[in-house]
């Protein structure tokens, strides 16, 4: 109904053609590292020119210092408690939210998006309203190799191609371009690296500026009547408040973002080259663009047009500490006089010297503290009450997708976590240890991971985050029963689809496929669209010989997510079970292409090779799978049997010995080791003399 009313309102719009809109979001870009904000070392001539031709807001603030929630606010004009996307990795912008692209599409605009990294792929709900959405990545990033972003040059080339394809389109265009380059690790290409020695972050910003300049040249030629908006999703801490990157704390380093608007062929209602010091928020962008385009908004928008002063106060929140580590959530309101931040305690940070500092917390009398805390709490309650009535969808990620976000500093976690009594501001120096544990595990340095975890326990013992990492380290140590018990305890602590999925995968690795099938079902009950849980359930049913049930479950999965790589994998398993080897090979190969770090995808390809009479190639594939999942006992047992079948007894012994020694009470593993040992000894015995 809301969309129908909106379309009706648009039909009565003004006669003058609305302007095209170019929205550029720069990832992880601090305002105070750009020329228009007084940074003398900046090499940002494109942004300087846009500021000179338009208007610059000096006090624009992000709603969240994370990519996915922040972009959700930029696109909806609503705060995270309302649109429901409150962290990276665990939330999807729901279809009930009306995005800027949907509004402009309904007004007759052409719409296109060109994005550059995993956190801005369409899977997070950002595709709503876009006719074209360019977000290709060669493969998913991993902890070991996660520079699978698209550099600005490639993204801009893609955007230029989109402009060329639309050259004859008479409709105004809304084009969103996202550039990820300033995100860690900072590695600008030449010549920008050499021009910014010792300052690679500035080099990345300069490189992105140059590419934006290329885009603007084509844009201005094709869209003489247009609006261009430059902003960032969030900044980077660089030590402010003790934080090195972003996501956990609320301070100017991560919240204060550039906001520059330039108009051609229409009047912004503001002097050209003006600088505005009003407190404004990301939620003010949508109502501003709609007003400048001569379009109406609606009461669901929580921002105010920038040309009317903007919001005057900005809500920001950081809940990554809660969801990933079991810490207290942080919420803040930024006002003209400074920022009030509520965690375990209420703190006040004054606006002085052109910034809200975090060096010293201003003393807050008890009465004022209680009133300020109540004001923040009441604001959050109002924002939640204004939601569309449905929680944002949750996303159950595969292991490699979790690693992708973890590698980017986005831990994800448990969206149902209870708030702990540790304030992230008080343990911020320990949080890098959580990344260190993950990176050590990725390098295979399990002892280092355990040592780092012990350091973390010294300050964060008993938190959900420490328990989650302990389960991962136990798995890396090969203690599958211990990892299973830890994961079961975490599930009992706060049930979730992701935790049920982890329990199921561990049970499968232990060979308990019937139990695993039930846990995959629990994961699906919590998240019916979890492709990983669908595929796992089918695989478990196949493992226990329930072919009919597996086919029914596979059909249901194919109907829900027909193009998902996990579904291609389960199709391959079903085809293999039916003996349709050629089709199974094609589906398995597609799954490996999409999920190169997924061990089961490698294993299914190996199973197809084995069935086609290619044992050596199959064994090579099984070794690749084992390299990706060295603690999978079932995989070790299967590889051991395959090696014995082709007479490679010594290798079979080496493969199975670690598992048998780790679990000496397991009769199957012990029997396989005995068989492999006997085969080795038999091969070493000299042949009997010829008669």
């Amino acid at each position: 109904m809301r969309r129908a009313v909106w379309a009706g309102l648009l039909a009565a719009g003004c006669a003058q053609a609305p302007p095209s809109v170019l929205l550029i979001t720069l990832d992880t870009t601090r305002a105070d590292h750009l020329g228009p904000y007084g940074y003398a070392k900046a090499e940002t001539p494109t942004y300087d020119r846009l500021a000179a031709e338009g208007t610059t807001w000096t006090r624009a603030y992000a709603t969240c210092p994370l990519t996915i929630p922040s972009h959700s606010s930029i696109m909806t004009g609503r705060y995270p408690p309302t649109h429901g996307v409150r962290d990276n990795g665990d939330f999807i912008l729901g279809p009930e939210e009306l995005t800027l692209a949907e509004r402009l599409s309904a007004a007759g605009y052409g719409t296109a998006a060109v994005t550059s990294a995993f956190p801005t792929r369409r899977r997070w709900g950002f595709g709503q309203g876009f006719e074209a959405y360019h977000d290709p990545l060669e493969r998913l990033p991993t902890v070991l190799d996660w520079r699978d972003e698209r550099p600005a040059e490639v993204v801009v080339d893609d955007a230029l191609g989109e402009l060329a394809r639309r050259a004859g389109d008479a409709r105004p265009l809304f084009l969103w371009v996202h550039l990820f380059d300033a995100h860690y690790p900072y590695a600008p290409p030449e010549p920008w690296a050499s021009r910014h020695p010792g300052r690679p972050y500035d080099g990345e910003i300069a490189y992105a500026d140059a590419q934006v300049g290329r885009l603007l040249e084509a844009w201005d030629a094709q869209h003489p009547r247009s609006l261009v908006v430059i902003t960032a999703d969030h900044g980077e801490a660089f030590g402010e408040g003790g934080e090195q990157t972003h996501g956990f704390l609320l301070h100017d380093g991560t919240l204060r973002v550039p906001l520059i608007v330039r108009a051609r062929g229409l009047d912004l209602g503001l002097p050209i080259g003006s600088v505005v010091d009003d407190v404004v928020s990301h939620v003010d962008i949508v109502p501003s663009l709609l007003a400048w385009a001569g379009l109406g908004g609606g009461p669901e928008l929580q921002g105010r047009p920038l040309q009317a002063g903007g919001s005057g106060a900005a809500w920001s929140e950081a809940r990554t500490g809660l969801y990933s580590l079991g810490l207290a959530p942080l919420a803040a309101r930024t006002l003209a006089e400074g920022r009030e931040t509520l965690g375990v305690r209420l703190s006040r940070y004054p606006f002085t010297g052109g910034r809200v500092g975090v060096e010293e917390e201003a003393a807050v009398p008890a009465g004022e503290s209680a009133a300020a805390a109540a004001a923040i709490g009441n604001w959050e309650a109002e924002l939640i009450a204004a939601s569309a009535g449905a929680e944002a969808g949750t996303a159950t990620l595969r292991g490699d997708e979790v690693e992708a976000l973890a590698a980017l500093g986005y831990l994800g976690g448990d969206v149902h976590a209870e708030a702990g009594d540790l304030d992230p501001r008080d343990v911020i120096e320990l949080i890098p240890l959580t990344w260190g544990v993950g990176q050590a595990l990725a390098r295979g340095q399990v002892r280092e991971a355990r040592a780092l975890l012990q350091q973390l326990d010294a300050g964060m013992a008993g938190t959900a985050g420490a328990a989650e990492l302990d389960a991962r380290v136990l798995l890396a140590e090969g203690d599958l029963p211990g990892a299973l018990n830890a994961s079961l305890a975490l599930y009992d602590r706060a049930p979730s689809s992701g935790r049920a999925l982890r329990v199921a995968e561990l049970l499968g690795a232990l060979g308990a496929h019937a139990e695993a099938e039930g846990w995959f079902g629990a994961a699906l009950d919590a998240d019916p669209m979890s492709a990983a849980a669908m595929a796992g359930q089918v695989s478990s049913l196949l493992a226990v010989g329930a072919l009919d049930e597996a086919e029914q479950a596979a059909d249901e999965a194919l109907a829900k997510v027909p193009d998902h790589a996990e579904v291609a994998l389960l199709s391959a398993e079903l085809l293999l079970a039916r003996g349709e080897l050629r089709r199974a090979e094609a589906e398995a190969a597609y799954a490996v292409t999409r999920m190169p770090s997924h061990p089961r995808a490698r294993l299914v390809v190996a199973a197809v090779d084995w069935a086609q009479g290619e044992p050596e190639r199959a064994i090579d594939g099984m070794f690749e799978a084992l390299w990706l999942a060295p603690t999978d006992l079932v995989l070790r047992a299967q590889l051991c049997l395959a090696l014995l079948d082709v007479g490679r007894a010594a290798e079979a012994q080496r493969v199975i010995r670690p598992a048998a020694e780790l679990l000496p009470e397991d009769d199957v593993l012990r029997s396989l080791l005995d068989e492999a040992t006997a085969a080795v000894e038999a091969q070493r015995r000299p042949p009997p003399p010829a008669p």
Side-chain angles (χ1 to χ4, degrees):
M1 175 61 72
R2 184 170 61 184
R3 285 180 173 83
V5 171
W6 171 251
L9 289 172
L10 293 175
C14 58
Q16 189 176 19
S20 291
V21 176
L22 173 60
L23 171 62
I24 300 174
T25 57
L26 309 171
D27 214 286
T28 323
T29 300
R30 291 176 61 123
D32 59 5
H33 276 247
L34 273 60
Y37 292 85
Y39 186 52
K41 298 177 181 179
E43 183 190 348
T44 54
T46 304
Y47 306 148
D48 296 345
R49 176 168 61 85
L50 285 171
E53 296 174 355
T55 301
T56 302
W57 280 263
T58 64
R59 298 193 63 188
Y61 297 101
T63 62
C64 178
L66 290 172
T67 299
I68 301 173
S70 182
H71 277 94
S72 295
S73 290
I74 291 170
M75 293 300 174
T76 63
R78 286 148 71 86
Y79 286 109
T82 306
H83 59 60
V85 181
R86 309 188 75 173
D87 195 24
N88 273 347
D90 296 303
F91 298 92
I92 296 173
L93 185 65
E96 70 280 353
E97 291 296 323
L98 192 56
T99 67
L100 177 61
E102 288 176 298
R103 292 174 185 272
L104 294 179
S105 177
Y109 277 69
T111 56
V114 186
T115 72
S116 57
F118 183 60
T120 48
R121 302 196 83 182
R122 75 175 71 210
R123 64 162 295 153
W124 308 112
F126 295 138
Q128 299 175 56
F130 285 106
E131 298 167 345
Y133 200 100
H134 303 270
D135 62 350
L137 291 177
E138 289 292 323
R139 58 191 183 276
L140 286 173
T142 66
V143 173
L144 291 173
D145 182 12
W146 51 270
R147 281 299 312 250
D148 286 306
E149 65 184 271
R150 300 203 300 156
E153 184 174 3
V154 173
V155 176
V156 168
D157 283 347
D158 205 351
L160 293 175
E162 185 66 31
L163 287 177
R165 284 188 291 274
R166 294 173 180 266
D169 193 333
R171 297 176 299 169
L173 174 64
F174 170 46
L175 175 62
W176 168 39
V177 175
H178 167 256
L179 302 179
F180 197 67
D181 303 86
H183 196 288
Y184 181 85
Y186 320 121
E190 292 294 349
W192 294 274
S194 297
R195 294 211 292 256
H196 300 272
R199 295 183 292 111
Y201 178 73
D202 291 342
E204 291 277 30
I205 290 174
Y207 165 62
D209 176 276
Q211 303 309 315
V212 171
R214 292 175 55 225
L215 174 60
L216 280 174
E217 183 178 359
W219 174 268
D220 287 343
Q222 192 166 322
H223 296 279
R225 177 174 165 79
S226 71
L227 291 158
V228 175
V229 179
I230 300 277
T231 191
D233 55 352
H234 55 77
E236 191 79 309
F238 292 128
E240 287 195 32
E243 187 174 25
Q244 297 305 312
T245 55
H246 57 269
F248 286 89
L249 302 185
L250 301 174
H251 49 72
D252 264 23
T254 59
L255 292 180
R256 183 175 174 236
V257 293
L259 180 58
I260 302 169
V261 180
R262 189 211 67 183
R264 282 196 170 181
L266 70 156
D267 184 5
L268 285 181
L270 295 163
I272 292 176
S274 60
V275 176
V276 180
D277 297 327
D278 298 334
V279 172
V280 299
S281 167
H282 272 156
V283 299
D284 297 328
I285 293 175
V286 169
S288 303
L289 289 173
L290 293 176
W292 279 318
L295 306 172
E300 69 277 3
L301 293 175
Q302 293 173 327
R304 295 181 65 246
L306 294 165
Q307 55 271 44
S311 290
W315 167 277
S316 303
E317 65 178 32
R319 300 174 72 85
T320 296
L322 165 64
Y323 296 141
S324 65
L325 299 174
L327 306 177
L330 294 180
R333 60 174 185 171
T334 302
L335 309 169
E337 60 270 23
R339 180 174 297 118
E340 294 171 335
T341 302
L342 179 63
V344 171
R345 64 185 181 278
L346 186 286
S347 301
R348 186 171 289 165
Y349 305 95
F351 178 75
T352 57
R355 60 189 289 269
V356 179
V358 292
E359 291 77 16
E360 293 185 9
E361 298 181 17
V364 185
E368 290 185 27
S369 177
I376 293 174
N378 290 338
W379 193 0
E380 181 176 21
E382 292 172 3
L383 294 175
I384 293 173
S387 67
E391 292 185 3
T394 57
T396 302
L397 303 179
R398 295 192 314 271
D400 54 354
E401 293 179 318
V402 171
E403 289 176 349
L405 287 172
L408 298 173
Y410 305 145
L411 297 183
D414 172 24
V415 300
H416 304 291
E418 294 183 5
D421 56 5
L422 284 177
D423 194 301
R425 292 170 289 183
D426 298 329
V427 293
I428 190 64
E429 74 282 354
L430 295 176
I431 288 174
L433 291 174
T434 65
W435 309 329
V437 172
Q439 291 163 358
L441 290 176
R443 295 191 300 268
Q445 297 172 335
V446 181
R447 289 184 179 178
E448 180 186 345
R450 175 59 72 186
L452 291 171
L453 184 57
Q454 289 172 348
Q455 294 179 46
L456 185 68
D457 278 336
M460 292 176 55
T463 62
E468 291 272 4
L469 289 171
D470 183 54
R472 289 180 59 191
V473 173
L474 286 167
L475 177 61
E477 290 171 338
D479 185 358
L480 266 70
L484 176 61
N485 289 333
S487 298
L488 286 167
L490 283 163
Y491 183 85
D492 290 340
R493 186 172 182 167
S496 69
S497 179
R499 288 179 174 175
L501 184 63
R502 186 179 310 155
V503 170
E505 291 171 342
L506 286 166
L507 286 167
L510 286 165
H513 297 293
E515 289 182 73
E517 191 276 328
W519 280 94
F520 281 123
L524 283 171
D525 288 341
D527 180 8
M529 295 302 293
S530 170
M534 295 178 207
Q537 187 176 50
V538 172
S539 184
S540 296
L541 289 168
L542 287 172
V544 298
L547 182 58
D548 291 342
E549 293 179 56
E551 289 182 343
Q552 180 180 348
D555 288 342
E556 293 174 359
L558 287 165
K560 290 180 179 178
V561 283
D563 298 325
H564 201 288
E566 290 273 9
V567 176
L569 182 58
L570 68 87
S571 295
E573 293 186 77
L574 273 175
L575 291 165
L576 179 62
R578 295 175 185 145
E580 299 182 41
L581 300 185
R582 287 182 179 272
R583 292 179 61 200
E585 182 179 28
E587 292 286 348
Y590 172 76
V592 168
T593 301
R594 292 287 304 278
M595 304 183 297
S597 61
H598 198 303
R600 197 170 83 254
R602 300 277 179 180
L603 184 58
V604 172
V605 171
V608 173
D609 288 337
W610 188 274
Q612 291 178 325
E614 299 281 353
E616 296 300 328
R617 193 165 69 182
I619 287 172
D620 288 345
M622 295 176 77
F623 269 115
E624 290 178 351
L626 186 63
W627 183 81
L628 292 167
T631 59
D632 190 320
L633 301 184
V634 174
L635 175 54
R636 280 188 179 274
Q638 291 172 325
L639 179 54
C640 175
L641 288 170
L643 289 165
L644 288 171
D645 279 352
V646 298
R648 294 162 62 174
E651 290 176 86
Q653 185 185 50
R654 286 197 298 270
V655 164
I656 203 64
R657 186 189 297 279
E661 292 179 348
L662 181 67
L663 299 172
E665 72 285 354
D666 190 296
D667 294 337
V668 174
L669 296 175
R670 173 54 56 185
S671 175
L672 282 173
L673 180 59
D674 291 344
E675 183 180 351
T677 302
V680 170
E681 292 173 353
Q683 289 177 353
R684 288 174 178 170
R685 284 195 294 268

